[in-house]
Amino acid sequence: LENPNTEHVLEMAPYVLSHRLVLNFTAEAENRRASDIVMELLEALTQSSVIDRNTHSRWKARQKQKK
């Protein structure tokens, strides 16, 4: 992609960031996965004013389609 936009970043972030996290004992004891934590962070980011509502709506729709 020559000009990635916010949607592209949101789409690729779980793949790019998940392997960068090292879970602590508490997270492992709670059976949490790095990909789940990344998705929680992205969800919080998309609910903030940093990302416009249209981008958030499209991202949420794509996440539901993947499940």
Side-chain angles (χ1 to χ4, degrees), residues 31-46:
N31 292 320
R32 298 194 63 199
R33 299 180 313 192
S35 59
D36 295 334
I37 294 169
V38 170
M39 292 305 290
E40 288 174 24
L41 292 170
L42 291 174
E43 180 67 32
L45 180 65
T46 59

Side-chain angles (χ1 to χ4, degrees), residues 20-31:
R20 303 294 298 171
L21 294 180
V22 178
L23 301 180
N24 65 15
F25 177 78
T26 304
E28 289 183 11
E30 294 174 354
N31 292 320

Side-chain angles (χ1 to χ4, degrees), residues 7 10 12 18 32 37 54:
E7 289 180 61
L10 289 173
M12 295 307 298
S18 292
R32 298 194 63 199
I37 294 169
N54 290 332

